[in-house]
């Protein structure tokens, strides 16, 4: 059983992605879990990331996740649910883990996840972004 904060955060992230029509079926977040694994982000190649998605897991550097980051990583899970091989192969390049970030930022799936966050982000009011999760 997942903690309440995790269920609520995933539900909000899924609701945001459900507003988009990027793929024929909505993201299936039923078996997705969030794990805080700071040691992973000390490994060379992962140091520049704040989050990382696998098929069913969102791995985070910090224990206070940002809703936008969870939306971004859940979008990657959605992408892998519809185009698994193509999506994962698009990241298998030397530039993904090298110092040159241009090819990484130009990756179609990275751009799509970034755009999904931007298109579904709550409006800023009074200088504070609403919708960030602070468990």
């Amino acid at each position: 059983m997942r903690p309440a904060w995790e269920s609520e955060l995933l539900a909000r992230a899924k609701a945001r992605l459900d507003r988009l029509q990027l793929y024929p079926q909505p993201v299936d977040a039923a078996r997705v879990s969030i794990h805080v694994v700071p040691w992973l982000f000390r490994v060379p190649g992962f140091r520049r990331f704040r989050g990382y998605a696998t098929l069913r897991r969102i791995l985070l550097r910090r224990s206070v996740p940002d809703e936008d980051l969870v939306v971004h990583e859940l979008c990657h899970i959605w992408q892998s649910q519809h185009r698994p091989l193509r999506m994962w192969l698009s990241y298998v390049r030397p530039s993904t883990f090298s110092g040159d970030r241009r090819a990484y930022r130009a990756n179609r799936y990275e751009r799509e996840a970034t755009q999904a966050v931007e298109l579904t982000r709550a409006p800023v009011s009074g200088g504070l972004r609403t919708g960030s999760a602070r468990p």
Side-chain angles (χ1 to χ4, degrees), residues 2 4 16 40-41 44-45 62 64-65 76 84 90 120-121 126 131-132:
R2 67 176 68 154
R16 285 174 61 177
L40 175 67
F41 299 96
R62 301 196 196 302
V64 182
H76 286 318
S90 76
T120 63
R121 185 177 282 146
S132 285

Side-chain angles (χ1 to χ4, degrees), residues 38-52 61-62 96-97 101:
W39 62 265
L40 175 67
F41 299 96
R42 289 191 289 270
V43 174
F46 285 90
R47 291 180 183 155
R48 68 179 45 94
F49 301 120
R50 293 183 310 131
Y52 191 83
R61 177 189 299 264
R62 301 196 196 302
T96 297
F97 294 99
R101 307 294 289 155

Side-chain angles (χ1 to χ4, degrees), residues 4 11 15 25 43 48 63 71 73 82 85 87 89 103 106 128 134:
Q25 300 295 318
V43 174
R48 68 179 45 94
S63 62
V71 169
E73 300 305 333
H82 290 276
L85 187 59
M87 187 269 194
L89 285 177
L128 298 173
R134 300 290 181 217

Side-chain angles (χ1 to χ4, degrees), residues 74-131:
L74 187 58
C75 187
H76 286 318
I77 291 172
W78 192 17
Q79 294 162 340
S80 68
Q81 289 172 353
H82 290 276
R83 296 187 178 132
L85 187 59
R86 189 180 304 169
M87 187 269 194
W88 289 107
L89 285 177
S90 76
Y91 285 96
V92 181
R93 306 176 186 189
S95 62
T96 297
F97 294 99
S98 77
D100 181 4
R101 307 294 289 155
R102 289 175 294 185
Y104 176 78
R105 288 188 188 109
N107 179 299
R108 170 191 175 195
Y109 298 102
E110 200 57 41
R111 287 191 332 261
E112 187 175 78
T114 299
Q115 186 177 33
V117 169
E118 293 167 0
L119 290 172
T120 63
R121 185 177 282 146
V124 175
S125 76
L128 298 173
R129 180 172 299 135
T130 59

